[in-house]
Amino acid sequence: MTLRCLRWLERSGMAGLVAGGRVDDPVDVMGLRFPNRVGLAAGLDKNGECIDGLAALGFGFLEIGTVTPRPQPGNPQPRLFRVVEAEAIVNRMGFNNHGVEHLLRQVQASRYRGILGINLGKNFDTPLERAADDYLAGLRQVYVHAGYVTVNISSPNTKDLRRLQGENELRALLGALKAEQGALARTVGRYVPLVVKIAPDLSEGEVEAIGGL
Ligand SMILES: Cc1cc2nc3c(=O)[nH]c(=O)nc-3n(C[C@H](O)[C@H](O)[C@H](O)COP(=O)(O)O)c2cc1C
């Protein structure tokens, strides 16, 4: 409902009136100049269907996705709900999305020229040993459209996805992705940074090991 309202506000030219404009407080990261530090995290606009409406709210960048190569329905509902007694919210969406081709059509139809992160995942039915194929396919397709690309290995809601955070698994995955990124940068003539999204509950040792790869 939020995204539908935002789309409507944007189309009617009123989104800018509701929001207060964009704060200009630039910061340079990864060779990109972000107009400010507050961005939209992945998972709200999974299909890139509200890019212009969200941009009108003044974000310094938008990250759309997670998108998988093929469309998939995600987990059965209920998949996002409150557990009132525990004062908690359970989120187990499972990468519900319309697939990378649909997302790219939305990107092409948008007027946004700011920094657009595109967050990649793997389809739930791609075996873990083939995970790199999904990320590579995603990278190739989104490369020219992205300001940066996120490799999402943080979700607990795709079976075994977090195993990709293991040192050996991640070395292999990143090795393949960095090679492809290098080839794409040469072909396209623009270097698009890769970002790895890891789980928030790794130990410090695990984070350091990942950072050292
Ligand atoms: C309902 C929901 C769906 C999410 N979906 C995604 C997703 O598809 N991909 C992703 O990388 N992160 C996803 N996230 C994680 C957010 O991008 C973000 O990292 C997380 O919510 C922590 O930031 P916060 O403390 O501002 O909520 C999701 C989070 C929520 C609550």
Side-chain angles (χ1 to χ4, degrees):
M1 201 167 74
T2 304
L3 292 178
R4 264 203 299 273
C5 287
L6 258 179
R7 261 204 311 270
W8 180 83
L9 278 171
E10 203 277 326
R11 279 180 195 153
S12 62
M14 292 202 291
L17 299 177
V18 182
R22 195 171 73 188
V23 171
D24 191 27
D25 181 18
V27 55
D28 292 311
V29 183
M30 307 184 293
L32 300 173
R33 169 149 291 204
F34 291 77
N36 64 55
R37 293 168 170 79
V38 180
L40 178 83
L44 185 68
D45 194 0
K46 287 175 185 277
N47 296 302
E49 288 173 339
C50 196
I51 296 173
D52 293 324
L54 289 161
L57 300 184
F59 286 110
F61 63 100
L62 302 175
E63 186 167 317
I64 57 172
T66 294
V67 70
T68 54
R70 289 170 283 116
Q72 61 178 32
N75 288 328
Q77 292 178 347
R79 56 192 183 185
L80 180 61
F81 52 91
R82 286 179 192 278
V83 183
V84 177
E85 321 73 89
E87 299 184 359
I89 294 178
V90 172
N91 154 30
R92 54 174 188 223
M93 304 295 282
F95 290 170
N96 52 305
N97 78 100
H98 299 321
V100 68
E101 279 166 23
H102 173 86
L103 176 133
L104 289 179
R105 282 195 293 276
Q106 311 311 308
V107 172
Q108 278 163 322
S110 92
R111 285 178 283 108
Y112 179 62
R113 293 294 167 264
I115 295 178
L116 185 71
I118 303 186
N119 180 305
L120 302 177
K122 78 175 235 343
N123 279 110
F124 80 103
D125 56 355
T126 300
L128 202 68
E129 316 78 73
R130 306 283 304 274
D133 294 349
D134 276 14
Y135 290 101
L136 283 166
L139 181 64
R140 283 184 203 111
Q141 279 181 278
V142 307
Y143 192 90
V144 293
H145 305 281
Y148 69 91
V149 173
T150 302
V151 180
N152 183 7
I153 50 172
S154 76
S155 175
N157 299 316
T158 294
K159 193 171 172 295
D160 291 336
L161 187 85
R162 286 183 168 193
R163 278 178 40 200
L164 296 172
Q165 296 176 134
E167 219 173 310
N168 293 336
E169 289 84 350
L170 192 52
R171 185 174 287 113
L173 177 62
L174 289 184
L177 286 169
K178 289 300 286 180
E180 187 63 27
Q181 176 199 34
L184 286 163
R186 282 189 292 280
T187 317
V188 172
R190 182 168 65 94
Y191 175 83
V192 177
L194 277 181
V195 174
V196 181
K197 185 167 183 175
I198 56 175
D201 50 6
L202 294 176
S203 70
E204 240 170 72
E206 288 170 316
V207 173
E208 270 167 28
I210 289 174
L213 284 177

